[in-house]
Amino acid sequence: MKLSRILPITVFALMLSPLADANNQRRIDVDSKVVTQHKAKINGQRFNYTVATGTQPVWDDKGDAVATLQYTYYTRDKVEDRAKRPLLISFNGGPGSASVWMHLAYTGPRVLKIDDEGYPIQPYGVKDNPYSVLDVADIVYVNPVNTGYSRVIENEKGEMLSKAQQKDMFFGVNADIKYLGEWLNTFVNRTERWRSPKFLIGESYGTTRVSGLAHELQNSQWMYINGVVLVSPTDIGIKREGPVKAANRLPYFAATAWYHKALNADLQAKDLDELLPEVEQFTLNELIPALAKGGFLAQDEKRRIIKKMAEYAGLSETFVDQNNLDIPTQFFWKELLRDRGQTVGRLDSRYLGIDKRDAGDSPDYWAELTSWLHSFTPAINYYLREELNYKTDIKYNLFGNVHPWDRSGNNTGENLRLAMAQNPYLNVMVQAGYYDGATNYFDAKYTMWQLDPSGKMKDRLSFKGYRSGHMMYLRHADLESSNNDLREFIQNSLPKESRAAKY
């Protein structure tokens, strides 16, 4: 029986300005909401839930609406005390990516119709997610400007912000954080969630966003957060350069080679949980020091390091030597299975591609992304229109135009550390897939280690790894385990009754 079905629908819509005219009807309502009722069975519990899908304005300093953000807000019904009910605020990344990925594949009550390893199945669509964290937290998925249905809008005179004004207000590390902080203040006001425990979750560039938002919300909106979840994190402004940047790739190379059975018999016989700690120790204790010596590394030591790297990465010693121990990831994706005539995916190296030529130093395309777009694009358009009844002729932008993006002044990691220091309630969890070559899991660990150099807050930092890629939840086993880890994190981050926020 289909557990998530639409019951009677209530529609609310309010337009702040006449954005449509007789000549051009392709506009999004500035302020709108469609409410639908559903049923679910999640984590063994049957319950009803409500979904509000709509748009909410972004205002400028004069109080004029200059953009509107589309969101989807899930609330569990019959909650006795909403003030005690956590609110999970979800962002994806890019920058320029919609919130569809975690919405329809990770935490939401409906997920993609895919096989157990994440590959598309036709007819495209969605199915129930028995592992969603909706049993323990309400969830809102937010689409920043130019993603999903979110757009810059015209005023009553038909004028829009100039390209320069849009860039200054929306399209940069700090601009993005500032306007989203203001928007969330309005959202929390409208939904009456000020007293609720709040959690931020971001994926990929979304980790930069939520790291900065933790500080912005506390210091500009006076909204304190209980937890931040970094899924497949970027560097969040914490530098990884030189020998560290080159060496940190090796554990990812080893995981990928192990998955494709490209290692020697002794290493291949080990379980991944046994192999990776061994490679990590070699990386930290031997490879980084060797790379730091550069061309002055003794020849016998260099030969020993090359041999070990080649064994762990499933590559030839000649290839490692030719790259001076510093192997670019795009070379690895092309080289690992070159003798099989296949390439491996960037965001998830379990996915295989085929190129026009076996020669070359990088793949023709990203095998994993083309596979994902098979299933995500039809699913989100179907789901919003037909299950959530949100109708519009606006194109749903899985990837929107937000470039050039201003990456200067990225202090989001330091700001997250400061937010943690200011707020004894604030905990951070990192989630990463072992087969992610874009934001590799060992970089994620390194970022977590460097987040608080003092070590005074390390008991509030945790890491979880999964046997999949950038979107680890696409693999069914990891959909279950990652949601369980998130559920446990949320519950453990709620302070005990009468526990004061103090050191």
Side-chain angles (χ1 to χ4, degrees), residues 65-236:
V66 292
T68 190
L69 301 192
Q70 181 247 327
Y71 66 89
T72 309
Y73 177 42
Y74 293 82
T75 53
R76 181 170 175 169
D77 295 351
K78 296 183 179 179
V79 171
E80 289 185 8
D81 188 354
R82 194 71 62 180
K84 293 182 179 179
R85 172 97 171 149
L87 173 64
L88 181 64
I89 303 165
S90 181
F91 292 97
N92 274 95
S97 177
S99 67
V100 57
W101 314 100
M102 290 197 293
H103 185 179
L104 275 196
Y106 183 12
T107 53
R110 300 280 276 161
V111 290
L112 294 176
K113 185 182 177 185
I114 49 180
D115 74 6
D116 285 351
E117 292 299 313
Y119 291 91
I121 295 175
Q122 289 187 339
Y124 304 118
V126 293
K127 59 187 179 183
D128 293 311
N129 179 9
Y131 313 117
S132 167
V133 293
L134 186 57
D135 61 319
V136 297
D138 296 334
I139 313 170
V140 59
Y141 300 92
V142 184
N143 289 305
V145 170
N146 281 1
T147 72
Y149 294 140
S150 301
R151 297 291 189 273
V152 178
I153 61 172
E154 299 173 352
N155 62 20
E156 293 180 355
K157 298 178 182 179
E159 301 167 337
M160 297 175 67
L161 296 176
S162 68
K163 292 293 184 183
Q165 289 172 319
Q166 291 180 36
K167 183 177 184 294
D168 289 344
M169 189 167 184
F170 305 122
F171 304 139
V173 173
N174 294 304
D176 178 73
I177 290 165
K178 182 179 179 181
Y179 91 83
L180 287 172
E182 288 285 341
W183 189 92
L184 285 172
N185 185 302
T186 303
F187 180 83
V188 169
N189 273 330
R190 288 185 173 191
T191 55
E192 300 180 342
R193 298 307 297 264
W194 272 102
R195 294 189 297 160
S196 301
K198 298 172 190 67
F199 293 80
L200 298 170
I201 183 170
E203 180 179 64
S204 196
Y205 184 83
T207 60
T208 300
R209 178 174 285 136
V210 299
S211 295
L213 273 171
H215 182 268
E216 176 72 10
L217 290 172
Q218 288 185 186
N219 289 272
S220 296
Q221 307 299 331
W222 307 285
M223 184 186 299
Y224 282 69
I225 305 300
N226 289 71
V228 174
V229 183
L230 307 178
V231 179
S232 304
T234 62
D235 59 21
I236 59 174

Side-chain angles (χ1 to χ4, degrees), residues 288-303 305 324-325:
I288 292 176
L291 284 164
K293 295 175 185 177
F296 288 79
L297 180 65
Q299 280 302 307
D300 58 341
E301 180 69 0
K302 184 176 182 179
R303 295 314 312 173
I305 296 293
N324 301 320
L325 315 184

Side-chain angles (χ1 to χ4, degrees), residues 250-484:
L250 184 61
Y252 155 71
F253 291 166
T256 298
W258 179 88
Y259 178 82
H260 289 293
K261 296 181 171 53
L263 299 178
N264 65 42
D266 289 343
L267 292 178
Q268 198 66 56
K270 297 181 179 183
D271 186 73
L272 192 62
D273 289 337
E274 180 185 4
L275 173 66
L276 291 184
E278 177 183 326
V279 182
E280 291 177 14
Q281 287 303 307
F282 170 77
T283 299
L284 289 170
N285 299 328
E286 300 182 59
L287 183 54
I288 292 176
L291 284 164
K293 295 175 185 177
F296 288 79
L297 180 65
Q299 280 302 307
D300 58 341
E301 180 69 0
K302 184 176 182 179
R303 295 314 312 173
R304 187 182 71 81
I305 296 293
I306 286 173
K307 184 174 187 300
K308 258 325 208 188
M309 280 190 71
E311 288 177 354
Y312 284 142
L315 302 170
S316 71
E317 292 183 30
T318 299
F319 185 79
V320 175
D321 192 11
Q322 288 173 338
N323 282 280
N324 301 320
L325 315 184
D326 181 359
I327 303 167
T329 46
Q330 67 268 24
F331 285 23
F332 175 78
W333 299 324
K334 183 76 173 183
E335 178 69 16
L336 179 67
L337 303 181
R338 194 189 298 268
D339 60 347
R340 305 182 198 177
Q342 294 172 317
T343 62
V344 299
R346 171 177 175 261
L347 293 161
D348 192 328
S349 53
R350 296 175 303 148
Y351 290 72
L352 298 175
I354 52 174
D355 284 356
K356 183 176 182 179
R357 296 182 178 87
D358 291 339
D361 57 15
S362 63
D364 291 350
Y365 66 99
W366 305 129
E368 78 295 335
L369 189 56
T370 55
S371 175
W372 296 342
L373 292 176
H374 265 260
S375 44
F376 275 98
T377 307
I380 188 63
N381 282 281
Y382 154 76
Y383 180 62
L384 289 174
R385 295 182 63 83
E386 299 185 44
E387 291 204 9
L388 302 187
N389 205 43
Y390 195 84
K391 310 287 188 181
T392 178
D393 286 333
I394 290 288
K395 176 184 176 182
Y396 188 94
N397 285 340
L398 272 79
F399 303 103
N401 182 13
V402 301
H403 298 287
W405 189 266
D406 183 1
R407 296 181 181 271
S408 63
N410 182 359
N411 297 311
T412 52
E414 168 57 20
N415 286 341
L416 177 57
R417 184 206 65 79
L418 185 56
M420 291 182 70
Q422 293 170 342
N423 179 3
Y425 284 157
L426 180 53
N427 297 317
V428 173
M429 180 173 68
V430 177
Q431 295 182 299
Y434 296 131
Y435 307 130
D436 178 5
T439 57
N440 78 67
Y441 89 91
F442 198 61
D443 273 345
K445 278 191 173 182
Y446 179 87
T447 295
M448 183 183 72
W449 295 334
Q450 301 303 313
L451 186 63
D452 171 34
S454 74
K456 294 175 182 176
M457 298 186 291
K458 65 182 180 181
D459 61 326
R460 290 194 273 149
L461 294 162
S462 59
F463 175 87
K464 299 291 184 180
Y466 307 92
R467 298 188 182 208
S468 41
H470 195 71
M471 294 192 284
M472 69 283 173
Y473 40 79
L474 290 179
R475 179 172 173 262
H476 186 268
D478 291 325
L479 173 66
E480 180 178 6
S481 59
S482 59
N483 271 292
N484 284 338

